[in-house]
Amino acid sequence: MTDVMYLVKGSRFSGLVNMGYGGSLGDRVVAARDRAFVGRAVERALFRSVLAGEDPAGASVVYLHGPGGIGKSTLLRRFALEAREAGRLVVEVDGRTVAATPQDFEYAAGKATGEPGVVLLVDAFEHCHGLEYWLWEQFLPRLPLGGVVVIAGRTAPDPRWVADPGWGDFLHVVPLRNLTPGDAAAFLRVRGVPAGAHHAVLSLAGGNPLALSLAAAVAVQQEAEGTLRAADWSPGGEVIATLLSQVVGDPPSAEHRTALEVCAQAEVTSEALLRAMTGERAAELFAWLRAQPFIESTSSGLFPHDVVREVLVADLRWRDPDEFVALRGRMHQYLLGRVREVPAAQMLQAMQALMYLQRDVGAAGHVSDTFEGHPCGLVRELPCTPADHERVVELVHEAEGAESAAIARFWLDRQPQAFRVYRSTRTDDIVACSAWLQLNEPEGEDVDPVVAAAWAHARADMPLRAGEHIAIARFDVDPQAYQRPSSSNTLARWRAMGEIIRADHLAWSFNVMRDDGFWNCYLERSEMLPIDARPAVGHHRYRLAAHDWRTQPVMAWMAERHEALLTGAGIVTSPGGTAQERAEHVVLSRSEFDAAVRDALRALWWPSQLARNPLSRTRRVAEHGQSLHDALLHAIDTLRDERGGEKRHHVVMTTYSKAAPTQEAAARRLGMSFSTYRRHLAAAVKHVSDVMWGHELNGAPFLPADRDRDRNGSV
């Protein structure tokens, strides 16, 4: 038989490992592990310097800490190999197999106290955490000088040991992180994972060594079986379950698991978010999350390591898809509300949290495909100050020409608060700008052809009513990535969407794009439809995409979009109706609305006539899922809350009952003179119309039918 020989990488393993008849099974295991080891260059360099006595601080204790599956045990095995090759005695203690008593630990590590130059490696110290004080105060001080100790556990050492001046010169605390992207890719190559599956595997596993190992094993096996689908590879339920048990462990309760699942899906988890999702135990659950080794803390809240995030999301999606959709929906509703409620200075941060929730859903043409996910690390959005005006004009001139620059100066003079600038986080230079114009009456039409086109469309289609305004994303200028996905472009669109969410009485919004078709798919899927006009500024034509927000409130629209993205469906049916149904909604002027109310009252008990009334196609009737008949009765009921309203309530209900064919007959039934009757009726009809108009404009829900009344039209 021909011997197959393996030379261990770097020639650190003494001699050749004979893969024929010589050597042992243990030798082969060591050689295989050595071939598969990648990365950890920084940690290995530190260990070698400590081992050689070259560490500038003279440290002799290295404390590694990190979550399960991060590679602590693998790294300790590498340290043991290198220490033995350096001629050192290596003593290994595994906290998982040693009882957490001083006597048992002494028995396992006893050789280390009497051997100069010994290397003591303690793994899984979290299982012996009760020995921490004894270890630092009694055991470690007895080790001979020149020895090296490496302790690995899931949690960091008690801060008092780090701060202790006695240990300060001898201790290195090293948080162990994921492998770098380059090392993770090298890991997959060493394991034989097909290159086509690398992206999908790395998307799940990130740089977590355990996740990489399990995913690589599955991918390699699937390739051998001919079942690997590289482009859309995903792990099986068993891989996810293994990762959860090894990396996360078993949560103490269902509420703790929900807290983990919330934390996995949110960009950053605050106690307030947890309270909205879990209720009264939020403070307890937040404290528990904060103590987990795979959770990081920031000034804004908590977030998990990447692999924990991905595995928890994948597990919930696989295990309970209905709950996944429900939880994501509740989180979306909460974060959407925060966009509207937070102070203006925090709006963009709230929008980032909302958009993060959509990072892993969507189909081609959706926001997830055209917006950068983490733009805030590259640019900062700031209000445009007077000192910035010339730079804004310069940017517009560079990207769009002199005519647009003059228009930008016009709007800077009239609405300076509408402009934002974007500064590079690297150089602090202003690299882009945007503007969100808000107009409640025609202005600048003779100066700005784009704004003129917007007003012309609004007047021709569905004119503004009293108190309403239009908004125009007039400039979105980044000369280095003009009208293409970029960090500033993403923030500008988040800004625009946030302003729409926060707006009151917004009738129309308009997006302005260079007319080259790049954004067509995204705009159409977002129900931002092109208008007919193609205004020209200088040598460039522009396209305006319009949306009438009176046909469906933005909060319902956002919820509908999120559900469509989450389920992979098209526009879903909601209380606001489908997109086609909303296109049939009507927006009435006040005079048209009052006339429709009068007609509807006359047809109150005639369903076929009510169905033809334009009020039945207004947003506020359709979105509450109730008939126009019920909406009218709810408005009529509010008369009883007014002074003298009970009498007017009787008047209107008697007038529009089937039993009173004429107003004269209604007055006789009520025992009133005709002039008194007409005065009460006019006041009642005006009140009903005012109530319904207020609902139409302000979005206030119709009152519930919580009072007794005769639904047959009699008093």
Side-chain angles (χ1 to χ4, degrees), residues 590 592-607 609-616 628-639 648-661 663 666 677 680-693 709 711-713:
R590 182 61 199 263
E592 293 169 332
F593 193 93
D594 289 342
V597 169
R598 292 192 293 270
D599 289 343
L601 287 171
R602 284 191 286 269
L604 185 60
W605 304 102
W606 308 98
Q609 293 184 36
L610 276 184
R612 294 193 292 271
N613 189 287
L615 290 178
S616 65
L628 176 57
H629 174 269
D630 285 343
L632 287 164
L633 290 179
H634 291 158
I636 292 169
D637 257 0
T638 65
L639 283 164
R648 287 193 289 273
H649 183 272
H650 284 313
V651 167
V652 76
M653 292 300 289
T654 300
T655 299
Y656 298 116
S657 71
K658 294 179 180 179
Q663 291 189 356
Y677 160 81
H680 283 305
L681 178 62
V685 171
K686 182 179 185 303
H687 174 87
V688 170
S689 190
D690 286 345
V691 168
M692 295 188 68
W693 180 251
R709 61 167 163 261
R711 287 301 184 92
N712 293 316

Side-chain angles (χ1 to χ4, degrees), residues 232-491:
D232 58 352
W233 178 90
S234 62
E238 291 183 2
V239 171
I240 293 173
T242 301
L243 286 171
L244 279 175
S245 64
Q246 293 294 317
V247 179
V248 178
D250 191 18
S253 70
E255 289 86 354
H256 288 79
R257 180 172 290 280
T258 299
L260 278 172
E261 291 163 350
V262 170
C263 192
Q265 298 187 64
E267 181 185 32
V268 177
T269 298
S270 65
E271 190 172 318
L273 171 59
L274 214 53
R275 185 177 302 110
M277 297 301 107
T278 64
E280 297 179 356
R281 296 185 66 188
E284 171 195 346
L285 296 171
F286 188 83
W288 175 80
L289 279 175
R290 193 175 188 178
Q292 300 309 301
F294 48 81
I295 298 291
E296 300 283 350
S297 297
T298 71
S299 58
S300 303
L302 309 176
F303 68 92
H305 291 182
D306 289 345
V307 71
V308 174
R309 187 189 294 280
E310 297 300 330
V311 169
L312 283 167
V313 171
D315 175 67
L316 181 59
R317 255 181 163 155
W318 168 75
R319 176 172 47 82
D320 192 346
D322 291 342
E323 175 57 23
F324 172 78
V325 171
L327 179 61
R328 185 69 69 93
R330 295 198 304 274
M331 292 177 67
H332 185 268
Q333 184 178 13
Y334 170 81
L335 294 173
L336 182 59
R338 274 190 54 77
V339 173
R340 187 168 176 83
E341 297 162 6
V342 297
Q346 300 174 21
M347 185 265 279
L348 202 61
Q349 182 181 2
M351 272 302 299
Q352 179 171 335
L354 179 66
M355 299 308 294
Y356 183 85
L357 203 62
Q358 298 179 177
R359 72 198 182 281
D360 57 355
V361 297
H366 282 283
V367 65
S368 55
D369 298 300
T370 52
F371 289 175
E372 293 192 2
H374 300 280
C376 297
L378 300 175
V379 295
R380 295 180 298 132
E381 188 205 74
L382 296 168
C384 180
T385 68
D388 301 329
H389 286 193
E390 288 305 316
R391 177 57 177 158
V392 168
V393 173
E394 179 183 315
L395 287 169
V396 175
H397 187 283
E398 182 180 349
E400 298 187 347
E403 294 85 352
S404 278
I407 293 171
R409 193 180 295 278
F410 172 86
W411 290 116
L412 278 166
D413 290 341
R414 284 155 181 78
Q415 290 197 28
Q417 74 282 358
F419 284 78
R420 292 293 188 276
V421 296
Y422 301 92
R423 289 186 178 272
S424 165
T425 56
R426 185 175 61 85
T427 65
D428 204 41
D429 293 335
I430 296 176
V431 296
C433 64
S434 68
W436 181 252
L437 302 178
Q438 299 183 69
L439 304 167
N440 51 28
E441 59 185 20
E443 180 183 1
E445 290 182 283
D446 56 338
V447 175
D448 190 344
V450 169
V451 170
W455 275 116
H457 180 79
R459 282 192 292 264
D461 198 313
M462 294 181 181
L464 271 64
R465 302 169 297 192
E468 294 179 338
H469 69 279
I470 69 172
I472 307 173
R474 178 60 187 92
F475 297 101
D476 177 7
V477 173
D478 180 346
Q480 299 305 311
Y482 181 69
Q483 301 255 326
R484 292 296 183 265
S486 67
S487 296
S488 63
N489 176 278
T490 297
L491 292 182

Side-chain angles (χ1 to χ4, degrees), residues 82-103:
E82 295 189 4
R84 290 190 177 102
E85 291 176 351
R88 299 289 194 99
L89 172 67
V90 177
V91 177
E92 299 177 86
V93 178
D94 191 332
R96 289 163 292 206
T97 61
V98 174
T101 67
Q103 296 79 10

